[in-house]
Amino acid sequence: MMLQALSEYAKRRTVEDETFFDPDFRWENAAWLIEISRCGKLLGLIPLTMKEGKKTIQKRIRRPFTDSNEISVRSPGKVVSYFLCDTAERVLLYQAKKEPTSNSLVLERSRYFLESINKAAALGVAVDILVPLAQFLASESECEATRLRLTESKADPDHNIIFGVEGTDVISHPEVVKYWRNQCQTKRGNSKPNRAVCLVTGKTSDCITTANKIKGIGGQDTILISANEMAFSSYGLDKAENSPISIQSEEEVKAALDDLIQKSKKQGLVFDDTIHLHWTRNPIPIDIIDWIAEPDPEGVRALIDSIKTGRTIYAFDAGAYYALSLSVNGARIVVRDWLETSVPNTEASIAQWFQDLAIIDLDGLQTKIDFSLWGLLSTLVPRKKGKPDFSRIAPQAATELLHSAINGGPLPHTILLAAIRRQQLEPNKIYPARIALIKACLLRSQNRNHTDSMKDKLDLESKDIAYLCGQLFAVICRLQLFALGKVSASIAERTYGGVATRPATTLSPLFTRLPAYYKKANSKFPGSGTNKQKEIETLCVRIEALDGLPKVLRLEEQGRFALGYYCQLAQYRTDRAEAEAASIAETQDDELL
């Protein structure tokens, strides 16, 4: 079903844009345009990149298609390169800050690149532009000058380059396009395809023997349909023959994947070499899954309101919705997740997803709902050189979050465990996104006995013992701040993990310090110690009514502890006097004698 959905997507996109799918030309990135004169001399080097936020986007061009499996062949006499558009290394032997490459395979590909241009020119194809281009590439002095310019521009040897001859785009010249189509037609006529029943169409067709490689997943070109082990070679069917797919359908699947991969990269739906694709059977005005990657606060609130009132804000039809998560294992694509649902169901699930994530912001004044997938995942891992180290989280984590958001299902305990562990390791770094994720995990848990306490702000009537323990610990931590100011190792830093797992044995000893804290806090901020004493006594009464401090808190109880702790601290920020006193205390450095 996955292959059929991808094929249908390519057909739909072709109807919308006739240039989307072309068996003879494929969309590809290009980073540089090298302008030359009619005499074969270098005129200039033009970058084809632009900034979109923090990302650098390369220009998309239609490159003459060559089977990527041909490019990877290493046998003598069979080495080829892409026609008129290939990497700076293959075309010009360019290597950043080094001498020209001496790799024999690259040298052969460079020679083939020039030979293919000479071959076309010899047939009378666009002689006025191909002959100057061939002269340029054959001139070592011109190539060396270009390599120097590329080095000065800090160009990447693996980025593609294209050529222009005094303003004429070589790759899109009508004579070049016609020539390449004739070449492809001749090649298809000389091929001996495998006849089989196509998995996509269900019809007997000319099927591929080797699938084309897919770019953009992981660090190398990858294959989706392949079998190279004896165990998969039933009845003598090798490589892609064991899963027959017609030449036309395979080209459509590749075109669909190429397009969806580019979109997902722009949306930021790539985590630790796992890329998440999504699309619909029919066009829709706005894809709300985009909000998971980059939420629109106003749009999210409108979506939630529309579900509550039953009035949709977008004219979505009941067509199918697809989500696909891909990663790599060596040179092969791994399908980590495949989900098929309907657009209305997806709309309702996404609205519920943001509702479950809703949590009071640290300022205690407004509820935050616009958490991105990147923001949620980044709170589960430590930072490395200032950036989240996503290698420290299970590779399926992003897939599990996305799957839960789309189908409304539960989140795995591995996500809850990762969030709680980070909270215990970083008790003073309180991220709303992490607490929101803990709340969503609890709300979607199979054990829903305590979901009445899972509110987006402090629940003053909660009867959940773990939640109340978190509240109590937050009050004690605030009392210590008023009493001692900023200390090198606060109660939270030293005991959060212990209190969150073993309240009875870890929290009880802290009560011996409270009388001194009350006195010290009152001396610095009159009445603050007394107020905290009342809060602590009230919480202790409520906890005692629930059989006292528990000896052990299980995983979900630790999540409710974190929620109570966070919401109590957020609540303090709504009291101006409390917030001002805390701000002053943060600048003080004192010790309890």
Side-chain angles (χ1 to χ4, degrees), residues 188 272 285 318 361 406 528 587:
R188 283 192 287 268
D272 196 27
D361 210 345
I406 295 173
S528 63
T587 64

Side-chain angles (χ1 to χ4, degrees), residues 232-504:
F232 303 114
S233 299
S234 303
Y235 304 100
L237 301 174
D238 298 324
K239 297 182 179 179
E241 295 176 354
N242 212 304
S243 300
I245 178 172
S246 68
I247 296 174
Q248 174 74 12
S249 295
E250 194 271 342
E251 290 174 344
E252 291 171 350
V253 169
K254 174 175 168 51
L257 285 174
D258 286 343
D259 186 61
L260 292 168
I261 287 169
Q262 288 293 325
K263 287 183 177 179
S264 290
K265 285 189 171 183
K266 289 181 179 179
Q267 295 162 349
L269 287 173
V270 183
F271 300 92
D272 196 27
D273 288 342
T274 299
I275 189 164
H276 305 279
L277 316 178
H278 56 94
W279 69 99
T280 57
R281 178 180 296 165
N282 302 317
I284 56 178
I286 183 171
D287 194 334
I288 54 177
I289 288 189
D290 292 345
W291 292 346
I292 296 178
E294 191 173 346
D296 173 16
E298 293 184 4
V300 169
R301 287 187 172 85
L303 176 63
I304 293 174
D305 291 341
S306 73
I307 298 299
K308 290 180 178 179
T309 60
R311 295 192 298 271
T312 58
I313 55 175
Y314 300 114
F316 289 149
D317 62 21
Y321 199 104
Y322 307 104
L324 173 63
S325 297
L326 303 174
S327 64
V328 296
N329 182 9
R332 282 167 176 76
I333 294 175
V334 177
V335 178
R336 291 209 172 265
D337 193 32
W338 165 248
L339 178 65
E340 180 180 355
T341 181
S342 68
V343 175
N345 285 345
T346 302
E347 179 188 18
S349 295
I350 297 299
Q352 188 61 53
W353 169 254
F354 285 112
Q355 277 187 284
D356 290 348
L357 287 173
I359 194 72
I360 193 71
D361 210 345
L362 268 176
D363 60 11
L365 300 176
Q366 58 183 355
T367 299
K368 185 174 177 60
I369 58 175
D370 52 326
F371 296 102
S372 68
L373 185 62
W374 186 94
L376 295 170
L377 289 170
S378 65
T379 65
L380 303 182
V381 296
R383 291 190 169 264
K384 185 176 182 181
K385 296 182 179 179
K387 297 181 179 180
D389 185 6
F390 289 118
S391 65
R392 300 286 296 275
I393 194 173
Q396 69 272 18
T399 301
E400 291 168 340
L401 285 182
L402 194 61
H403 190 111
S404 178
I406 295 173
N407 75 351
L411 285 161
H413 273 186
T414 53
I415 297 292
L416 178 59
L417 178 60
I420 289 174
R421 280 181 175 174
R422 290 313 307 170
Q423 183 59 38
Q424 292 176 356
L425 290 171
E426 303 172 335
N428 284 343
K429 295 180 180 179
I430 304 176
Y431 299 104
R434 183 187 295 157
I435 304 300
L437 188 53
I438 290 174
K439 173 174 171 277
C441 287
L442 296 174
L443 284 173
R444 293 175 178 235
S445 169
Q446 305 271 340
N447 178 17
R448 300 180 182 271
N449 296 334
H450 300 280
T451 54
D452 56 331
S453 297
M454 301 300 103
K455 297 181 179 179
D456 56 11
K457 58 184 178 180
L458 183 64
D459 185 359
L460 298 175
E461 299 179 357
S462 175
K463 295 181 180 180
D464 180 76
I465 189 72
Y467 189 92
L468 292 173
C469 286
Q471 272 188 264
L472 177 59
F473 187 60
V475 177
I476 293 175
C477 291
R478 181 53 63 99
L479 173 62
Q480 185 201 41
L481 176 63
F482 286 163
L484 306 184
K486 187 175 182 180
V487 294
S488 57
S490 67
I491 288 177
E493 291 173 304
R494 288 186 285 110
T495 63
Y496 181 97
V499 176
T501 53
R502 304 178 306 279

Side-chain angles (χ1 to χ4, degrees), residues 99-297:
E99 294 297 321
T101 181
S102 58
N103 183 291
S104 59
L105 181 61
V106 176
L107 289 170
E108 288 183 63
R109 285 174 174 162
S110 181
R111 282 194 290 269
Y112 184 92
F113 189 88
L114 176 56
E115 289 171 2
S116 64
I117 295 173
N118 282 325
K119 177 183 176 181
L123 294 174
V125 177
V127 176
D128 57 329
I129 59 172
L130 292 188
V131 170
L133 177 56
Q135 292 174 346
F136 168 79
L137 294 172
S139 171
E140 178 56 31
S141 61
E142 294 299 320
C143 290
E144 177 59 30
T146 308
R147 287 193 291 266
L148 180 60
R149 294 284 296 275
L150 289 169
T151 300
E152 291 172 350
S153 302
K154 298 181 181 180
D156 189 327
D158 291 329
H159 284 171
N160 289 324
I161 59 175
I162 57 175
F163 295 92
V165 178
E166 294 188 3
T168 300
D169 185 10
V170 176
I171 204 168
S172 61
H173 192 282
E175 290 185 33
V176 172
V177 171
K178 182 179 179 181
Y179 163 77
W180 189 254
R181 291 197 186 283
N182 291 335
Q183 291 289 105
C184 292
Q185 185 63 35
T186 301
K187 187 176 181 179
R188 283 192 287 268
N190 294 334
S191 64
K192 297 179 180 180
N194 170 46
R195 295 287 292 179
V197 177
C198 174
L199 290 174
V200 176
T201 64
K203 300 177 181 179
T204 301
S205 310
D206 292 340
C207 295
I208 60 171
T209 55
T210 303
N212 280 298
K213 293 183 178 179
I214 308 297
K215 294 186 176 183
I217 309 175
Q220 60 178 323
D221 296 350
T222 49
I223 298 176
L224 178 63
I225 304 169
S226 178
N228 66 338
E229 298 292 338
M230 289 297 295
F232 303 114
S233 299
S234 303
Y235 304 100
L237 301 174
D238 298 324
K239 297 182 179 179
E241 295 176 354
N242 212 304
S243 300
I245 178 172
S246 68
I247 296 174
Q248 174 74 12
S249 295
E250 194 271 342
E251 290 174 344
E252 291 171 350
V253 169
K254 174 175 168 51
L257 285 174
D258 286 343
D259 186 61
L260 292 168
I261 287 169
Q262 288 293 325
K263 287 183 177 179
S264 290
K265 285 189 171 183
K266 289 181 179 179
Q267 295 162 349
L269 287 173
V270 183
F271 300 92
D272 196 27
D273 288 342
T274 299
I275 189 164
H276 305 279
L277 316 178
H278 56 94
W279 69 99
T280 57
R281 178 180 296 165
N282 302 317
I284 56 178
I286 183 171
D287 194 334
I288 54 177
I289 288 189
D290 292 345
W291 292 346
I292 296 178
E294 191 173 346
D296 173 16

